[in-house]
Amino acid sequence: MASVPFHYVELRAFSYATEDEKRVEQALRTFLPEDVELQRHTSEGHYGDRIVVLSARVELADEIRHVLSQVATLDDVDDVVAELDDRVDDNCSFFLTFDKQAAFGGEVRRGDGITLRAKVEAYPAKREKAVTNAREVLEAL
C-alpha cells in the first residue's frame, strides 16, 4: 500500500474505576507503533467514579500503515468493507470499534471498548468519495 488516503487515525479507550489502567493501555498499544505517546485525560463518571480516557493520534503514513496492518488481521474485514456506507459519516470520518479484552490479549477482534476514528482523504470532501477511498484501502489489506 504505497499511499495512505487518511489524514490521521485516532484510537481511544476508557479505563473505568474497576479496570487496571495499565491493562487498558496495553490493549490500546496492540494497535499502535511502539514510539507513539498516549494522551491521558481524567474524567468523572455519573456517581463520581474516576474514568481515565486514553487516546492516541497517528498522522505519519508509516504509523497509519501500522494501525491498518492490525486492522487487516480482523477475521471479518470483508464485513467491514460491506458496512462502509454505515461506517463513514458526512465529515469523511471512518469509525470502527474493537474488543478491549481481546486486544489486551493481543488479538484484534471487533467489539466494544476501543474506538478507531480515521479521517479519510477525499477531494472534494464528499462522503461518497471518502467511502470509495476507504473501500480501496480496506480491500487492499
Side-chain angles (χ1 to χ4, degrees):
M1 160 183 8
S3 82
V4 181
F6 293 104
H7 292 289
Y8 58 82
V9 174
E10 294 176 338
L11 289 155
R12 180 178 65 195
F14 296 97
S15 177
Y16 297 99
T18 57
E19 296 177 310
D20 182 353
E21 185 178 330
K22 294 290 183 193
R23 288 178 172 222
V24 175
E25 178 180 339
Q26 183 178 340
L28 196 56
R29 290 206 174 276
T30 297
F31 298 91
L32 297 168
E34 288 183 26
D35 57 341
V36 172
E37 278 189 51
L38 290 180
Q39 302 294 317
R40 287 177 167 71
H41 301 283
T42 304
S43 187
E44 188 175 294
H46 182 70
Y47 295 105
D49 50 325
R50 181 173 180 248
I51 300 172
V52 178
V53 181
L54 300 171
S55 62
R57 179 174 170 147
V58 294
E59 297 177 343
L60 301 176
D62 286 341
E63 294 173 339
I64 293 172
R65 281 187 197 97
H66 180 86
V67 174
L68 292 176
S69 72
Q70 293 302 101
V71 173
T73 65
L74 279 171
D75 290 337
D76 58 351
V77 164
D78 294 335
D79 293 341
V80 173
V81 171
E83 299 166 357
L84 276 174
D85 285 331
D86 297 326
R87 296 194 168 278
V88 176
D89 68 7
D90 291 336
N91 294 321
C92 301
S93 292
F94 165 66
F95 294 91
L96 191 58
T97 58
F98 300 99
D99 186 319
K100 185 169 34 173
Q101 186 67 36
F104 172 69
E107 183 182 345
V108 177
R109 185 171 56 210
R110 292 201 304 169
D112 294 324
I114 297 176
T115 303
L116 177 143
R117 177 177 164 252
K119 185 70 169 186
V120 183
E121 288 180 358
Y123 303 103
K126 300 285 185 192
R127 183 179 166 283
E128 294 77 23
K129 180 66 175 163
V131 168
T132 300
N133 288 347
R135 185 179 320 281
E136 289 174 4
V137 169
L138 292 174
E139 287 176 345
L141 296 178

